Amino acid sequence: MEKKNTLFKNTIYKSILSMVNIVIPLIIGPYITRLLDVELYGIYNKTFSVFQFFLAFASFGVYNFGVREISKIRNDKKKVSQLFTNLFVISLISNLFVLVIYIIYALLTSSGITTTIYMIFIIQFAANIVYVEFVNEALENYKFITVKSVIVKIIYFISLLLFLSKPDDIIIYAVIVSLTVLLNNIISFIYAKRKISFDFCSIEIKKYLKPLIAVLVITNVDLLYSQLDRVMLGEYVSNVSVTMYYIPYYIVSTLAAIPYSIINVSIPRLSYILKNESKEKYEEKLNNSLSSLMFIIVPMCLGIFVVAKEVIFIYAGKKYMAAVVPLMIACITRIFISLESVMNNLVMYPNDKENRILKVSLCCGLLNLLMNYILVYFKILNPSTALITTGFSEIIVLIWHYLYAKRNMKIKVEILSKKNITYFALGILFIPISLIIRKLNLGFILTLLLIILICSFMYFIVLYIKKDTNLLFILDKFKRKLKVGKK
């Protein structure tokens, strides 16, 4: 019971953090998209997409590897210290090595404002060197992570309001974003160092290279999906098309951060259960996490789907209305991508199936690359078609992993459980409800509010009547909190 409560508290902290990560972008996002020049913002997004390729290799898979491995030995302070030191040294070397290549690339392939933005992003390489949040994640210090991140986000929010005022302030924007990342990572580094000291007596870099390379490819397979899409859109279509892709992707990813907190907090716990407890206990916790994720992600994605037009107008304004259809596509594919994330992070990864993830992800990533080039050949590459090919590729990853887990690993992953099917069926009902409300022609605000309220009411009332365990568990926890508060 104590572990369950701890997991619940960790999920609450992660959810609070995710909510802050949602609220602030939703407040500041419309300000940025409306203020900044469309072409300059497109240049920034294209440059940032290329920069993220380099940053992914600089990170060298240290974060994800660190979370999993330290969570297994977190009760042995000496081993934790040794592993932490090795990972820090490896991260330092990989960041400096990639940084040199990055600078050469930037100077040879860009000019003017693009080069300036590339150089500003060097700040984030410095931040990446001291990015040791994997220690706090593995030791489940979610309270610290949440409080720290909330404070940094508030500073970021205030900085944007104070220093961003003109359409051509794209350089100022890049500086603020980069310095915010640096501040966040420095605070985490200081906190982690208070808990764990360096131990340079046991440096074994070669020992960790092979597993880190595997994790590097696994955790950065997104480079062959959404990142690849953005780079190809910038190369073969236009800088503005990158933004038309990025805005829907960013909105859905940002909102999905709340249910994804369930996955994030479950990784170290499931890794621990697999090593120290039974397979049955692991499967129980796995499927609880899966149903909890679907309980939130399905209504969230289908809810955004039915009000996509209003969401884009509120978030980005009239000049980005071409992003409505891409947003609707991103919503549908996000449900399947979420299931794929469960298979990768909670099934394959804790069971040491890195090679399996690597093979499947590379195959489907190359498939996505091939489909994108076919779109380029027929001159139909655009934000919507790019999102469709990526979604199709990731659905194949999901099916491939699911069948392997069922047949070869003998793990019961209850994707098609009665609860999950119920969530999806109720979410589908949002579509006819929204269409009926739109027929009434009640105006922008009233239509939006009625769709949200009626769909939400229908979803939760039906689940309450059916005595859904996820809903009842959350209600019970909040009732207890309220009773404690009153006392």
Side-chain angles (χ1 to χ4, degrees):
M1 179 62 73
E2 184 179 350
K3 285 185 178 181
K4 187 174 181 179
N5 288 335
T6 303
L7 188 59
F8 177 75
K9 288 179 181 178
N10 289 341
T11 304
I12 291 296
Y13 283 127
K14 287 288 281 187
S15 296
I16 292 171
L17 174 59
S18 298
M19 287 179 70
V20 172
N21 289 337
I22 289 172
V23 171
I24 289 182
L26 289 181
I27 293 173
I28 207 68
Y31 175 69
I32 293 169
T33 53
R34 283 173 170 80
L35 173 65
L36 295 177
D37 176 79
V38 174
E39 186 61 34
L40 287 177
Y41 193 44
I43 291 172
Y44 172 87
N45 285 324
K46 179 186 176 183
T47 307
F48 187 67
S49 297
V50 175
F51 158 74
Q52 285 184 304
F53 268 95
F54 287 94
L55 191 68
F57 287 100
S59 300
F60 206 59
V62 165
Y63 182 90
N64 294 78
F65 181 81
V67 170
R68 188 186 71 176
E69 296 304 314
I70 290 180
S71 66
K72 292 178 181 178
I73 57 172
R74 61 187 179 188
N75 295 325
D76 190 325
K77 195 171 182 179
K78 183 175 177 59
K79 286 184 178 179
V80 169
S81 179
Q82 291 173 343
L83 179 56
F84 169 65
T85 307
N86 275 281
L87 294 180
F88 178 79
V89 172
I90 292 170
S91 178
L92 174 64
I93 295 170
S94 63
N95 273 280
L96 292 176
F97 176 75
V98 175
L99 175 59
V100 173
I101 300 173
Y102 169 80
I103 292 173
I104 294 171
Y105 171 86
L107 294 175
L108 291 177
T109 63
S110 65
S111 60
I113 194 169
T114 304
T115 304
T116 304
I117 295 173
Y118 272 127
M119 293 302 105
I120 291 169
F121 287 154
I122 291 175
I123 296 171
Q124 295 194 44
F125 274 100
N128 206 44
I129 291 173
V130 292
Y131 186 46
V132 295
E133 197 79 284
F134 61 86
V135 175
N136 297 317
E137 287 266 5
L139 299 180
E140 300 188 28
N141 295 324
Y142 292 109
K143 183 177 180 179
F144 159 75
I145 295 172
T146 302
V147 173
K148 175 263 303 181
S149 299
V150 168
I151 293 171
V152 172
K153 287 289 182 184
I154 291 172
I155 294 171
Y156 167 70
F157 175 76
I158 294 172
S159 299
L160 288 175
L161 292 178
L162 287 177
F163 301 108
L164 213 63
S165 59
K166 301 190 297 296
D168 58 353
D169 280 345
I170 195 68
I171 298 300
I172 296 174
Y173 176 65
V175 170
I176 291 173
V177 170
S178 298
L179 289 178
T180 301
V181 174
L182 180 62
L183 176 63
N184 179 79
N185 293 359
I186 287 175
I187 295 173
S188 291
F189 179 78
I190 293 171
Y191 183 85
K193 282 297 286 99
R194 288 174 57 192
K195 301 283 184 180
I196 304 171
S197 59
F198 281 131
D199 183 355
F200 291 102
C201 297
S202 304
I203 299 297
E204 301 175 282
I205 293 176
K206 188 177 179 180
K207 172 183 176 181
Y208 298 104
L209 290 181
K210 187 176 179 180
L212 279 170
I213 291 171
V215 175
L216 167 68
V217 178
I218 293 165
T219 56
N220 291 291
V221 74
D222 181 58
L223 297 177
L224 290 172
Y225 295 95
S226 64
Q227 285 296 109
L228 173 69
D229 290 345
R230 278 177 262 175
V231 172
M232 291 188 70
L233 284 168
E235 185 68 28
Y236 295 105
V237 185
S238 67
N239 291 330
V240 174
S241 70
V242 179
T243 304
M244 293 299 178
Y245 181 103
Y246 175 74
I247 288 176
Y249 180 85
Y250 179 73
I251 290 172
V252 176
S253 299
T254 302
L255 292 174
I258 289 182
Y260 274 29
S261 63
I262 296 166
I263 295 177
N264 293 332
V265 301
S266 297
I267 293 171
R269 182 58 56 85
L270 286 174
S271 297
Y272 179 84
I273 290 173
L274 266 175
K275 184 176 177 63
N276 299 283
E277 299 181 28
S278 65
K279 183 181 178 182
E280 290 74 21
K281 183 72 175 176
Y282 160 76
E283 285 185 350
E284 178 188 350
K285 187 66 66 179
L286 165 67
N287 287 307
N288 285 341
S289 298
L290 173 58
S291 68
S292 298
L293 172 69
M294 297 303 287
F295 168 72
I296 304 173
I297 199 72
V298 169
M300 182 176 289
C301 287
L302 292 175
I304 302 168
F305 177 88
V306 297
V307 293
K309 182 178 179 181
E310 289 80 5
V311 169
I312 291 295
F313 181 80
I314 292 171
Y315 183 85
K318 288 184 179 179
K319 59 186 178 182
Y320 290 108
M321 292 307 290
V324 172
V325 174
L327 177 58
M328 296 174 76
I329 296 169
C331 289
I332 298 301
T333 57
R334 176 58 57 172
I335 297 173
F336 297 101
I337 291 171
S338 300
L339 290 170
E340 181 219 334
S341 183
V342 169
M343 296 305 302
N344 270 335
N345 294 294
L346 301 187
V347 179
M348 297 296 164
Y349 193 59
N351 283 280
D352 299 319
K353 296 294 182 181
E354 289 95 338
N355 291 336
R356 173 77 192 178
I357 302 174
L358 179 60
K359 181 177 76 172
V360 174
S361 298
L362 280 176
C363 286
C364 293
L366 292 173
L367 173 64
N368 184 53
L369 176 64
L370 175 63
M371 288 190 291
N372 277 355
Y373 272 114
I374 292 173
L375 294 177
V376 171
Y377 180 79
F378 288 103
K379 298 181 180 179
I380 54 174
L381 178 66
N382 57 55
S384 295
T385 55
L387 282 163
I388 289 172
T389 57
T390 294
F392 179 74
S393 299
E394 301 212 55
I395 288 171
I396 293 177
V397 175
L398 164 64
I399 295 171
W400 205 342
H401 281 329
Y402 174 76
L403 292 176
Y404 182 84
K406 183 180 179 180
R407 295 172 182 174
N408 298 76
M409 299 169 67
K410 307 300 180 185
I411 294 176
K412 297 177 183 178
V413 188
E414 298 173 354
I415 291 177
L416 298 176
S417 66
K418 280 183 68 176
K419 279 201 290 188
N420 293 342
I421 292 173
T422 299
Y423 301 147
F424 192 76
L426 291 174
I428 290 293
L429 290 177
F430 293 176
I431 298 174
I433 290 172
S434 66
L435 291 174
I436 292 170
I437 294 172
R438 290 185 187 282
K439 288 284 185 181
L440 301 176
N441 295 318
L442 299 172
F444 182 90
I445 296 176
L446 190 55
T447 298
L448 177 61
L449 289 176
L450 277 177
I451 291 174
I452 294 172
L453 291 173
I454 294 175
C455 289
S456 300
F457 182 78
M458 181 274 296
Y459 185 79
F460 290 112
I461 285 297
V462 172
L463 290 181
Y464 185 78
I465 293 171
K466 290 177 67 66
K467 292 182 169 50
D468 179 76
T469 52
N470 284 311
L471 179 60
L472 295 179
F473 177 73
I474 292 172
L475 291 175
D476 180 62
K477 286 293 180 181
F478 280 111
K479 282 180 184 177
R480 291 184 184 182
K481 292 291 181 182
L482 287 174
K483 286 180 182 179
V484 172
K486 286 179 181 179
K487 289 179 181 180

